[in-house]
Amino acid sequence: MMLVVQQRAMRDWLRSGCAAGFDAGAAPGLAVYRNNHRAALVACLEAGFPRTRAWIGDDAFLDTVIDHVGRVPPSSWTLDAYGEDFPVTLALRYPDDLEVAEIAAIELALDRAFIGPDASVVGIDRLAGYDWDRAVLHITPTLELLEGATNAFELWELLSAGAMPPAAARLDTPRALFVWRQAGISRIRIADPIEAQALCRVRAGLPFGDLCTHTAEAFGPDEGISRAGVWLGRWITDGLVCAIDDDRSIL
Amino acid sequence: MMPRPTFGLGLRKPHYAEFLSHKVPVDFVEVISENFMVDGGQPRRILREVRERYPVALHGVSMSLGSADGLDPAYLARLRALVDEVDPLFVSDHLSWSRIDGFSAHDLLPIPYTQEALSVVCANIDRAQAALGRTMLIENPSSYLALGPAEMTEWAFLESVCDRTGCGVLLDVNNVFVSAANHGFDALDYLDGLPHARVRQVHLAGHSQGEQLLIDTHDRPVPPSVWDLYAHVLPKLGAVATMIERDDDIPPLAELLGELATARRIAATGIRHAA
């Protein structure tokens, strides 16, 4: 039998338990390989989503993991990537409990931030001397913006602390969550959707002066400029800004 | 000056702090390459700090050298970046496959010992060595299934791979023991038939008894049977780098250093020694 045919037969065995192409004597070995394969995927999801597991319970979590393993074949060279689609599986299984997939999305984003690209950080003491009308902020590459329709953040926070979480609840208006890495540690905070929109535009290259103009148009000159200034201060202290470019220098 | 044998440990998370805060008496450490093939963050920072203190060997589990549809270029690019940063003592992976048609098994699956598989493995190793800019060490795997019919023994296959590609061998003595038990060949035939001059590194580990087969679990001390095989083969090898490989139920570092002391003793005395 050609090598590629043998390898596809093994893949089919691992995926579906179909042992076509193998003789009966192969059964013990096939069982070991299938167990190894599935155990690796289960362990990966258990390690990646401990708060989600705590929220829905061990049995429901395992059922969902088995569903996911059946639905989503691993495709990356790294097991770390296997959890990428797990929030989708949770959303499909829990269509009326949106917080389940949102807790998983938080866990996934925190893990991604932990191993995301390194970047320098602009400190609060290095803001002088820029032409702020032209200044473009370079945002840390680990930043991920999530949208939350539920109190998943509070649930995740209390589950992380080992405390009894409250009941799940939908929010009146969706909110944003910022996830990033600062000083080697993954961080998360709630953000106003308007701040999130502003940060998205800045990350896309909108100069800070233009951001101030837009905010002034939306909120009036005083409040608009004030809001932009407060955001900038927070982004700097959060370590979200990794460089400032005003065409004269890059920090 | 004659090269001397060296002795190291697999570096695992529970021991990071000790390796970074003390000078642990090892000649090198080995890390799992994939754990550090990330963009940045703490894993890369720790590896840089470890590298400042110890020589590092990179040991991979996902290159899939036996894949009939070739290697993953993204994987090779990431590994090359890590190699360039670490300047490792060795870069190794297994005589196995894990990926086909975009499906990744995340396990070390067996290859049939045929001329066709030999051509595939050699082409993949040639490509990997070109991409990495250096020769690799290829480790003999534990296996639980013979994809047959075989046209040669595993050790003859390994020798042909070395001859055709110029790669070296990472000899896992425990894997020889496990595969010999599972497939019914004599482990001494394997160890005597190896291309000894190609062996650069040796892994020592423990295994478990499964329902019908021995399983390469790396979750217990090196057993006397594996020490005996190590003592048998070591005089045939040159100045190799020996290490203890423990991946589960990881004990205190002192316990692993005790096992390493046994390896040093066997190497020093050249006599058969059961731990």
Side-chain angles (χ1 to χ4, degrees):
Chain A
M1 192 189 294
M2 284 178 62
L3 183 64
V4 69
V5 175
Q6 288 176 312
Q7 293 185 343
R8 285 176 178 154
M10 183 62 113
R11 173 203 60 194
D12 292 345
W13 162 251
L14 296 176
R15 288 284 298 135
S16 64
C18 167
F22 297 97
D23 59 40
L30 287 174
V32 171
Y33 285 115
R34 189 149 196 260
N35 181 64
N36 285 353
H37 170 67
R38 294 173 73 82
L41 301 183
V42 170
C44 162
L45 296 177
E46 286 178 343
F49 299 93
R51 314 298 172 225
T52 309
R53 182 182 181 181
W55 178 245
I56 63 176
D58 289 347
D59 291 345
F61 186 81
L62 185 59
D63 284 349
T64 310
V65 164
I66 291 168
D67 178 23
H68 186 74
V69 168
R71 202 177 67 80
V72 181
S75 58
S76 171
W77 57 266
T78 172
L79 256 179
D80 287 348
Y82 190 59
E84 293 284 333
D85 296 320
F86 194 55
V88 175
T89 297
L90 287 160
L92 292 171
R93 274 183 83 92
Y94 295 93
D96 299 322
D97 302 306
L98 301 183
E99 83 285 355
V100 178
E102 288 189 6
I103 294 170
I106 289 172
E107 296 196 272
L108 185 63
L110 288 165
D111 281 350
R112 277 199 289 245
F114 188 70
I115 56 171
D118 295 325
S120 55
V121 174
V122 175
I124 197 84
D125 56 335
R126 299 186 66 185
L127 300 183
Y130 287 103
D131 174 353
W132 285 99
D133 282 341
R134 297 157 56 110
V136 172
L137 309 181
H138 295 261
I139 302 302
T140 187
T142 60
L143 176 69
E144 189 167 342
L145 279 72
L146 304 179
E147 190 173 289
T150 73
N151 61 340
F153 173 76
E154 287 80 4
L155 299 176
W156 169 84
E157 202 170 33
L158 289 164
L159 289 164
S160 300
M164 179 65 76
R170 290 205 186 197
L171 303 174
D172 293 336
T173 53
R175 66 183 173 195
L177 293 169
F178 291 177
V179 180
W180 76 104
R181 188 176 74 238
Q182 184 180 24
I185 295 168
S186 295
R187 293 196 54 198
I188 180 169
R189 77 165 166 92
I190 297 171
D192 171 336
I194 298 169
E195 182 191 355
Q197 190 181 40
L199 186 54
C200 275
R201 297 171 83 175
V202 163
R203 182 162 65 173
L206 183 75
F208 187 71
D210 291 352
L211 176 70
C212 291
T213 302
H214 293 313
T215 358
E217 285 168 3
F219 298 101
D222 292 343
E223 191 188 337
I225 301 298
S226 168
R227 275 189 184 231
V230 168
W231 290 337
L232 175 63
R234 185 77 195 266
W235 297 343
I236 294 286
T237 54
D238 278 343
L240 288 171
V241 179
C242 56
I244 301 172
D245 177 9
D246 65 357
D247 282 346
R248 292 184 300 192
S249 63
I250 296 180
L251 266 183
Chain B
M1 191 174 174
M2 288 285 286
R4 65 179 183 89
T6 54
F7 299 87
L9 289 178
L11 178 67
R12 303 294 181 260
K13 212 175 272 186
H15 300 145
Y16 285 173
E18 282 172 278
F19 272 95
L20 291 175
S21 61
H22 302 89
K23 180 63 188 166
V24 177
V26 295
D27 299 310
F28 69 97
V29 296
E30 183 189 86
V31 299
I32 303 297
S33 309
E34 287 80 1
N35 292 346
F36 299 91
M37 287 164 59
V38 295
D39 289 329
Q42 202 176 61
R44 293 294 283 261
R45 180 183 60 74
I46 287 172
L47 184 58
R48 282 193 291 273
E49 291 178 16
V50 167
R51 181 64 186 91
E52 287 170 10
R53 294 163 171 80
Y54 308 89
V56 170
L58 294 177
H59 183 51
V61 295
S62 298
M63 190 177 281
S64 195
L65 287 166
S67 278
D69 58 358
L71 303 181
D72 177 351
Y75 176 93
L76 290 176
R78 277 191 179 265
L79 181 57
R80 173 63 192 250
L82 190 66
V83 166
D84 288 346
E85 182 171 313
V86 170
D87 186 21
L89 205 52
F90 307 115
V91 179
S92 59
D93 209 301
H94 297 79
L95 186 62
S96 64
W97 70 280
S98 57
R99 192 174 46 74
I100 189 74
D101 296 338
F103 168 80
S104 196
H106 297 292
D107 197 6
L108 304 170
L109 302 173
I111 54 175
Y113 298 121
T114 61
Q115 291 296 338
E116 184 206 3
L118 181 61
S119 296
V120 166
V121 168
C122 290
N124 286 339
I125 291 175
D126 284 342
R127 183 171 175 207
Q129 292 184 148
L132 300 176
R134 57 183 297 153
T135 56
M136 293 181 63
L137 304 186
I138 309 302
E139 178 179 346
N140 57 300
S142 284
S143 67
Y144 314 108
L145 176 68
L147 289 181
E151 295 166 9
M152 64 193 93
T153 61
E154 184 175 298
W155 54 96
F157 190 96
L158 206 46
E159 181 166 22
S160 295
V161 166
C162 291
D163 288 345
R164 290 198 198 179
T165 68
C167 71
V169 172
L170 192 177
L171 171 62
D172 189 313
V173 180
N174 178 58
N175 287 351
V176 172
F177 184 87
V178 168
S179 291
N182 289 342
H183 299 299
F185 63 77
D186 188 333
L188 295 179
D189 287 344
Y190 194 121
L191 295 176
D192 292 344
L194 269 177
H196 298 122
R198 299 285 196 173
V199 179
R200 297 280 178 274
Q201 191 183 354
V202 173
H203 275 177
L204 297 168
H207 54 261
S208 304
Q209 178 63 58
E211 269 184 44
Q212 298 180 60
L213 298 167
L214 284 189
I215 312 293
D216 177 32
T217 45
H218 293 191
D219 62 349
R220 56 196 63 199
V222 180
S225 51
V226 173
W227 284 123
D228 285 346
L229 293 179
Y230 177 62
H232 173 87
V233 76
L234 199 57
K236 304 175 195 301
L237 309 179
V240 295
T242 297
M243 59 157 272
I244 308 294
E245 197 181 29
R246 187 73 169 262
D247 294 311
D248 216 344
D249 288 341
I250 295 173
L253 186 57
E255 197 173 305
L256 297 179
L257 289 170
E259 288 190 89
L260 203 56
T262 302
R264 288 182 204 271
R265 210 161 45 238
I266 290 171
T269 59
I271 59 170
R272 290 172 65 88
H273 179 92

